[in-house]
Amino acid sequence: MKEDVVKQTKRYFGFFALMTNEKMDAITALTLYRNKDLVEKAFGNIKERLNLRRLLVSSEKSLDGKLFVAFVALIYLSYLKKQMQDKGMFKDYTMQSLLDKLDVIECFENPGHDLRVGEILNKQKLIYEFMGVETPS
């Protein structure tokens, strides 16, 4: 093993460079860089969870509607991320695992009847309470 090469390489462990054409401090640049991953995951959620991988629509109005729903969904995802950060939930969940926990709640709607929500587990109730959202009933 070449000790001098290993030592030279280890010198930069944990350091990386970010370049930008805008003036900002290091913390802002790092925060923006780390949020890039959130945006990529959000688009993944739009493609998978909202089934927008292919925009199979028959009219421009349908396309507008699908894109609007995707936009609103991104707003909700941003809100969830902010709430998770503020409440310290990232120590127990990732965004994906939180959404997966809540994704299994079923909802039934019959015309002329009230909306019925399937069984909600205690863990799911705790998530709703922790997020400051009323548990569906």
Side-chain angles (χ1 to χ4, degrees):
M1 194 170 4
K2 298 178 182 176
E3 287 294 326
D4 57 333
V5 175
V6 172
K7 189 175 181 179
Q8 181 76 16
T9 303
K10 280 186 174 181
R11 189 172 124 209
Y12 295 108
F13 276 3
F15 295 94
F16 57 93
L18 294 174
M19 294 175 42
T20 178
N21 56 358
E22 294 182 31
K23 282 190 169 197
M24 65 181 73
D25 61 289
I27 299 298
T28 304
L30 184 60
T31 302
L32 290 172
Y33 175 76
R34 287 186 174 159
N35 281 336
K36 179 184 76 156
D37 184 54
L38 177 69
V39 172
E40 290 171 359
K41 286 181 180 174
F43 277 105
N45 276 326
I46 284 175
K47 289 188 328 194
E48 298 303 323
R49 289 186 185 278
L50 297 176
N51 201 18
L52 286 177
R53 183 172 291 284
R54 292 202 170 109
L55 296 172
L56 301 173
V57 295
S58 57
S59 69
E60 192 171 331
K61 279 188 174 185
S62 294
L63 176 63
D64 290 345
K66 274 192 163 188
L67 292 176
F68 178 72
V69 168
F71 177 70
V72 172
L74 278 177
I75 291 171
Y76 275 118
L77 286 172
S78 296
Y79 173 77
L80 278 175
K81 179 187 180 277
K82 176 91 170 88
Q83 287 294 98
M84 287 179 75
Q85 282 177 330
D86 292 349
K87 309 281 181 162
M89 293 180 74
F90 279 113
K91 67 179 187 267
D92 298 321
Y93 298 100
T94 63
M95 175 72 81
Q96 197 66 39
S97 68
L98 183 100
L99 290 172
D100 288 343
K101 276 266 191 254
L102 299 175
D103 198 26
V104 295
I105 298 173
E106 294 180 341
C107 182
F108 306 95
E109 184 176 20
N110 289 328
H113 294 85
D114 288 339
L115 188 68
R116 288 188 1 201
V117 177
E119 181 183 7
I120 298 177
L121 305 174
N122 286 335
K123 194 93 168 166
Q124 294 163 331
K125 287 179 185 176
L126 287 173
I127 291 171
Y128 277 109
E129 288 173 20
F130 207 67
M131 298 293 273
V133 177
E134 188 177 322
T135 306
S137 57

